[in-house]
Amino acid sequence: MLNALTIRLIVIVTVAVQFLCACSGSLRSGELLAQADSVVENNPDSALVLLRQIGNVEALQGDDERALYYLVLTQAQHKCYEPTTADSLMPFCVSHFASVGDCYNHVRALYYNAVTGRPGSNPEEAVGLLKECERVATSTGNLLFQVKVYQVLEYLNDGAGNYRFKLKYAKLFFDKSKEYGDPYYMAYAITALARAYALLEHNDSALACLKQALPIVNRLDSDTKALTLTNIGVCYHENGDDANAKRYLLWSLRVKPRDNALKVLADIYNKEGKHAEAEALWQRALAMSDPPTRISTLKSMAVHHASLGDYREAYASRSEAAHLSDSINNAKLASRVTELQLQYDRQLEESRYYRFVLSCVAAVVGLVVVVISMALAFRHHLRTAKVSLQKKDAQLEDVQSRYSELEAIHAADAAKVEELTQLYSELSAAILKFMATGKAVCDEIQAKGRMPYSMPDAEKGFILYFAVQNSGVFNGWLAAYDKLTNSDMVYLALAAMGYTDKDIAAILCISEGAVRTRKYRLNKTKKAK
């Protein structure tokens, strides 16, 4: 009788110790998650520190805490410009918060599901998610995320060249920002609205918007103030008013130096003939710029060196810009892999610690309960094996059914596959023909200094041949310009090959004035930075 009572006592104590350890870990993880959620909007870097202290996501209790963890982690990484390691789990967060009726987190999950990766890779899906976020935010009266949604929508339409839609969303962005009352969003909305008017050539309206930003400038912190003044200066510069652009850019630099302000001011100085000042500002911009601004700065320096006849420096700057552009995606991928590996190592280390603690506790009571445990385990395994066999049979039947369906689909699509193969062969032959034409055109230009317009598709073949031989330069054009015609790409290819405007005019059988006009039109189509 005494032995049976002792055994029961030991079992109860063991279960209680394990339960208390689990509760202690889950309570601490829940508190850290709540703290991270409270600071993520204004201090995302602090939120990331708190989230990394949680470590093992399995310590969180239930789907509520897991969904909130993935949401806060994605928001913090997005706001800190880090690779989002949990963006694939955002649809789970959206559906979970919708099912439990958590309107605020439902809106937040919709927004970060839309903006993490999709604007670049799948803009159509991003717009659909943002419109759903707008609907839910409007119905629940969430002003902050209405402002954020309109901000992203005006930016997406800017990049897509839909300037009338950009103007529509910029107006909504401005109206909701005034209603929300945040000076940062108001300043950003004013400059976005001014840019939309400028892109539609409503210059008077653009200038009127720019003037509205000035009364709130002194209410902003130094970072936002410098950003706002830089945006105003850049807008003036894009409108062709370099005098006012210089005034606001210099004001911005007095508040806090910014790489894009230095770069645009250097472009203005270079245009005015102040080459030494421009070179100094470009070097300062390169020393502090992020990769996109650095690429833009290097391209401006390449154009400057080419105009001075220093083609060696121009080629070096252009090559560095192309190399940096190609390496951005590789760096993002490496950063994501590193983050996942560090997270895995941290979870593995903590898992080893918990296993050691549990093994010590289990060793105390293991000898007492081993016989009972083995008997119960054997009985449990028999039941589990029976259920598992039934599931395997059902899975096998399902696999056989799907295999039959795939065979039917394959038979039905065989003709389509053959048709696509034929089309691929025809396209390959056409590309080889264009490449041969392009090589012949290049040889003709180098030999006789003239574009052989008598050849069929001479310009198209020349462009394709150049793009294959100089893929980095060609990708740089696509990134730098909104729209390129065949004539524009012919000019850019000849310039990249080192020909001067005079040589290009002779090659294309046009006047030097026409070449300058083409260059001016190309500069007008450059994408905004």
Side-chain angles (χ1 to χ4, degrees):
M1 191 69 177
L2 182 60
N3 291 336
L5 181 61
T6 303
I7 291 173
R8 290 179 183 177
L9 215 61
I10 292 174
V11 171
I12 293 171
V13 169
T14 303
V15 172
V17 169
Q18 293 178 349
F19 177 75
L20 289 174
C21 290
C23 288
S24 175
S26 64
L27 285 174
R28 183 173 180 273
S29 299
E31 291 173 358
L32 289 171
L33 178 58
Q35 292 174 14
D37 188 26
S38 65
V39 302
V40 67
E41 181 64 32
N42 297 316
N43 298 290
D45 50 347
S46 300
L48 279 177
V49 172
L50 292 168
L51 290 172
R52 286 174 181 137
Q53 293 179 24
I54 295 176
N56 188 4
V57 183
E58 298 302 323
L60 299 172
Q61 294 295 310
D63 287 345
D64 285 339
E65 287 193 356
R66 290 191 181 92
L68 184 59
Y69 172 83
Y70 297 134
L71 173 57
V72 175
L73 177 62
T74 301
Q75 181 177 353
Q77 290 176 331
H78 178 75
K79 292 175 77 67
C80 290
Y81 303 101
E82 293 187 5
T84 49
T85 55
D87 55 348
S88 61
L89 294 168
M90 292 308 297
F92 157 71
C93 299
V94 172
S95 60
H96 173 75
F97 290 125
S99 65
V100 300
D102 189 341
C103 297
Y104 174 74
N105 285 326
H106 182 207
V107 171
R108 193 158 56 137
L110 280 169
Y111 175 78
Y112 286 103
N113 189 25
V115 301
T116 49
R118 290 172 179 80
S121 62
N122 195 342
E124 294 180 357
E125 183 183 359
V127 170
L129 291 169
L130 288 167
K131 296 300 290 183
E132 175 66 12
C133 182
E134 175 196 11
R135 183 189 68 78
V136 179
T138 302
S139 65
T140 58
N142 191 324
L143 270 177
L144 173 60
F145 279 93
Q146 289 180 62
V147 170
K148 288 176 176 287
V149 165
Y150 294 137
Q151 180 183 12
V152 177
L153 285 173
E154 69 86 13
Y155 172 79
L156 286 176
N157 282 284
D158 189 337
N162 300 324
Y163 300 135
R164 295 195 178 277
F165 281 104
K166 174 183 172 62
L167 177 61
K168 169 188 172 182
Y169 289 115
K171 287 179 178 179
L172 291 169
F173 181 25
F174 180 57
D175 292 339
K176 292 299 178 182
S177 298
K178 286 196 300 182
E179 188 177 349
Y180 187 62
D182 188 311
Y184 167 77
Y185 285 117
M186 291 171 64
Y188 195 106
I190 288 171
T191 53
L193 187 57
R195 173 171 169 76
Y197 279 124
L199 290 169
L200 292 171
E201 299 183 356
H202 298 168
N203 295 325
D204 293 339
S205 299
L207 291 175
C209 287
L210 290 171
K211 292 176 183 177
Q212 292 183 52
L214 296 177
I216 65 172
V217 161
N218 291 325
R219 295 167 53 194
L220 304 172
D221 59 81
S222 60
D223 287 335
T224 311
K225 183 176 181 179
L227 173 64
T228 303
L229 292 171
T230 299
N231 287 338
I232 294 174
V234 171
C235 286
Y236 270 116
H237 173 62
E238 291 178 350
N239 262 348
D241 188 350
D242 286 346
N244 275 319
K246 283 171 59 178
R247 181 158 64 95
Y248 286 105
L249 290 171
L250 289 170
W251 186 4
S252 169
L253 294 176
R254 287 195 297 271
V255 175
K256 186 175 182 179
R258 291 184 58 83
D259 51 1
N260 54 338
L262 291 167
K263 187 266 178 186
V264 175
L265 188 59
D267 290 346
I268 294 173
Y269 280 151
N270 184 54
K271 184 178 178 182
E272 293 175 348
K274 300 177 181 179
H275 302 306
E277 292 89 336
E279 187 73 31
L281 290 176
W282 277 327
Q283 293 300 331
R284 286 181 62 190
L286 287 176
M288 64 181 297
S289 62
D290 57 359
T293 307
R294 185 177 180 85
I295 291 170
S296 175
T297 304
L298 288 168
K299 289 178 180 178
S300 295
M301 293 176 68
V303 172
H304 166 63
H305 289 306
S307 67
L308 296 178
D310 190 352
Y311 299 111
R312 186 184 299 276
E313 287 295 330
Y315 179 77
S317 298
R318 190 178 293 112
S319 299
E320 185 179 350
H323 177 73
L324 183 59
S325 179
D326 291 340
S327 65
I328 287 176
N329 290 332
N330 293 334
K332 288 181 178 178
L333 179 60
S335 175
R336 182 181 179 88
V337 172
T338 302
E339 174 68 22
L340 290 173
Q341 185 62 46
L342 289 174
Q343 183 178 355
Y344 172 78
D345 291 342
R346 185 168 56 250
Q347 291 177 353
L348 185 61
E349 182 179 350
E350 293 179 355
S351 176
R352 287 173 179 168
Y353 170 76
Y354 287 124
R355 282 202 301 268
F356 174 74
V357 174
L358 291 175
S359 64
C360 290
V361 176
V364 177
V365 295
L367 295 176
V368 180
V369 297
V370 64
V371 176
I372 300 174
S373 298
M374 288 181 64
L376 293 174
F378 180 72
R379 183 179 175 185
H380 172 73
H381 284 309
L382 285 177
R383 293 179 179 176
T384 304
K386 184 178 180 180
V387 173
S388 177
L389 285 174
Q390 293 174 348
K391 288 183 179 180
K392 293 293 183 183
D393 291 340
Q395 290 175 356
L396 182 60
E397 291 178 0
D398 183 55
V399 168
Q400 291 174 344
S401 174
R402 291 187 181 184
Y403 181 75
S404 300
E405 291 175 0
L406 288 174
E407 283 187 333
I409 292 172
H410 176 73
D413 289 348
K416 292 183 180 179
V417 172
E418 184 178 354
E419 182 181 351
L420 288 174
T421 304
Q422 180 64 29
L423 179 60
Y424 174 77
S425 301
E426 293 175 358
L427 287 175
S428 299
I431 290 173
L432 290 174
K433 181 179 178 182
F434 270 113
M435 287 291 291
T437 301
K439 185 177 186 309
V441 171
C442 284
D443 294 342
E444 185 78 9
I445 290 173
Q446 293 174 355
K448 300 182 180 180
R450 290 288 187 275
M451 172 68 75
Y453 287 105
S454 59
M455 289 187 184
D457 298 318
E459 288 189 349
K460 292 181 180 178
F462 174 64
I463 292 166
L464 178 61
Y465 182 75
F466 182 85
V468 172
Q469 297 295 321
N470 305 273
S471 59
V473 176
F474 186 78
N475 290 334
W477 299 347
L478 300 180
Y481 297 95
D482 283 323
K483 184 188 297 183
L484 288 172
T485 64
N486 287 342
S487 299
D488 293 336
M489 288 187 282
V490 169
Y491 169 76
L492 289 171
L494 291 172
M497 291 169 65
Y499 289 106
T500 64
D501 288 353
K502 183 177 180 180
D503 295 337
I504 293 173
I507 290 170
L508 299 181
C509 301
I510 58 177
S511 66
E512 291 186 37
V515 173
R516 287 192 294 272
T517 300
R518 187 171 296 180
K519 185 192 294 186
Y520 174 77
R521 187 175 65 251
L522 274 170
N523 289 332
K524 290 284 286 183
T525 62
K526 276 188 176 179
K527 293 183 179 179
K529 300 294 184 276

